[in-house]
Amino acid sequence: MEPLDRRTLLRAGLTTGAGLAGGVLLGGAGASGVPTTAGRPGVPAWRPSGRPVLTHGVQSGAVGPGEAVVWTRADRPGRLVVEIGRRPDLRDARRVRGPVLHGGGDFTGKVRLRGLPAGERLHYRVRVESLHRPGLLSEPLTGSLTTAPRGGGVPGPRRSGRPAGVRFVWTGDIAGQGWGISDDFGGMRIFEAMRRCQPDFFLCSGDTVYADNPLAETVTLPDGRIWRNLVTPAKTKVAETLTEFRGQFAYNLLDANLRAFCAEVPQLNQWDDHEVTNNWYPGEILTDPRYTETRVDVLAARARQAFHEWLPTPDDGPLYRVVSYGPLLDVFVLDMRTHKDPNDGNTYADPRRGLLGARQRAWLIRELTRSRATWKVIANDLPLGLIVPDGSAAQEGVAQGDDGAPAGRELEFAEILGAAHRAGVRGIVFLTADVHYTAAHHYDPARAAVGDFTPFWEFVSGPAHAGGFGPNTLDGTFGPQAVFVHAPPRANTSPAEGFQHFGEVAIDPQSRAFTVHLRDADGRSLWSTTLPAADH
């Protein structure tokens, strides 16, 4: 089998996302998934010779105990076939026939696997079967994943003998501010450092792509070195069409570090702003002259389709969800874009407005109070206490710089924190990215303008592979203290200059302690702390 390298991908003509084979040669796919020639219903389209080719690797998604999503993409229509088992040689594998991959979905496809062993390391093999020549399969690609353990009881050992604690990594902000894939500087090497941590899953805290940040072929660094970007057609302009949004995700998977990481680590993905455009909110009309389509709602619908096509997400239900990792951890994945109110001064008193919307806010309060996990991680793609301006007068995030009583979007988080406090909820930790540096913030009502909450931590990480910025100013409303900050000396430092970050969390199965490491792109720990379980 020819290795799945960038040269193979480029020869396949697939770097723009929709793909030459599908967009030009195959025509559209009908409901059956079998393409037909344009204008001649029922007449078979051109049929590619040889076996199907898997073009962008494999990925898996974290769903819950005993479940997972497995993803791939092919160069033509075909039937997805997945085998999964405990043994690396897959002699014990269960075979699952998945959906038909077709042009309407950009030849991507995924299957949700249920009834898997919970809390175990599993191995899988992916193929695509030709629709035109049944039995003709692509060369296989293999991967592995760890399923979430079930809740209740005391964590026991995994089948491998490894104690059933939980270990995961998080970061955000991939290929932004003009910094794309550069082989001269090792590509997106932070993903190799994260892979070496052997995490159970990866939480991507948004900005999974930068649809509004085109790439130049070269950038001169401050020391005179030249950063050479790999550039594809989709990365030469802002994304507006569905094909262009798909091309953002296809571009990232040209990086060998990212593909190797995705083949071993299940993902939990959030979206933030750059999947669409900078600091967007529903109903916005853009004034940016780079756009011919100025309706953000149209752009967001296309971006959301590409997001689900190209990432191993469960497609059912809202983007916000809770994923359980046994008795030690529940992860509350927020959606702070779909229901976001317009960016303004953020000082209003209307409790109906906010980032989450009434339904998501009620869901979060309900699920936090129901959770029996030791730790409740709230994955917020916008930081809670950092001021994130949108121009000179508007605010993008929760805070606005008034250290007094909650106002604007702070109102809904005061409601959430207060409700959790009154219900006796313990073990809340916020994990975020967005601001392109790493930090540890401790929040305490003794320092705050509002006292109705239990002290908690918010840990910030990123960027994974983008410009370094910061630090931002903290708003004093919820009493934050910056215990650690690692930020660059100037705005938009390149990945070649450092200041790329990820965070790692390890929860001990016996003590249930929650240890956080804030790490750099090489995996070095810059700072760490261990939080004891609430009843220890």
Side-chain angles (χ1 to χ4, degrees), residues 113-292:
L113 302 169
R114 294 178 168 88
L116 301 175
E120 292 192 30
R121 190 72 181 169
L122 303 177
H123 302 267
Y124 64 89
R125 180 166 53 216
V126 175
R127 292 186 176 100
V128 167
E129 183 179 16
S130 170
L131 295 183
H132 308 300
R133 295 175 61 186
L136 182 65
L137 295 164
S138 69
E139 290 284 355
L141 291 178
T142 58
S144 58
L145 59 89
T146 300
T147 55
R150 299 197 185 279
V154 178
R158 288 198 173 95
R159 188 181 179 92
S160 65
R162 174 183 166 186
V166 180
R167 181 182 303 274
F168 67 96
V169 293
W170 91 94
T171 188
D173 317 309
I174 304 171
Q177 288 75 48
W179 309 112
I181 300 166
S182 176
D183 284 341
D184 295 342
F185 292 95
M188 299 184 188
R189 58 191 180 85
I190 197 170
F191 287 99
E192 172 59 19
M194 290 195 293
R195 188 190 68 81
R196 290 196 303 265
C197 292
Q198 297 185 299
D200 295 320
F201 68 93
F202 167 51
L203 169 63
C204 186
S205 301
D207 294 341
T208 54
V209 297
Y210 275 75
D212 58 333
N213 281 196
L215 298 175
E217 289 187 1
T218 61
V219 183
T220 302
L221 301 176
D223 62 4
R225 291 179 296 170
I226 302 299
W227 179 282
R228 292 179 173 83
N229 281 315
L230 172 69
V231 181
T232 63
K235 296 300 294 184
T236 60
K237 65 179 291 292
V238 296
E240 299 178 87
T241 67
L242 177 57
T243 295
E244 290 165 351
F245 282 110
R246 287 165 166 169
Q248 310 304 307
F249 295 91
Y251 176 82
N252 287 357
L253 286 171
L254 294 177
D255 183 76
N257 300 299
L258 177 57
R259 289 199 310 277
F261 177 78
C262 291
E264 294 186 20
V265 183
Q267 304 169 38
L268 278 175
N269 286 287
Q270 295 178 276
W271 75 341
D272 191 30
D273 56 335
H274 291 288
E275 285 83 359
V276 182
T277 191
N278 189 46
N279 295 350
W280 73 275
Y281 52 84
E284 183 180 7
I285 302 297
L286 299 177
T287 58
D288 187 332
R290 299 178 300 168
Y291 288 87
T292 57

Side-chain angles (χ1 to χ4, degrees), residues 278-331:
N278 189 46
N279 295 350
W280 73 275
Y281 52 84
E284 183 180 7
I285 302 297
L286 299 177
T287 58
D288 187 332
R290 299 178 300 168
Y291 288 87
T292 57
E293 175 55 77
T294 60
R295 297 168 295 174
V296 160
D297 289 353
V298 172
L299 297 173
R302 294 168 181 167
R304 185 166 178 153
Q305 180 175 338
F307 179 89
H308 279 304
E309 286 174 345
W310 278 85
L311 293 173
T313 60
D315 289 336
D316 53 327
L319 287 174
Y320 62 86
R321 60 201 183 280
V322 58
V323 178
S324 175
Y325 269 79
L328 294 176
L329 176 67
D330 283 342
V331 182

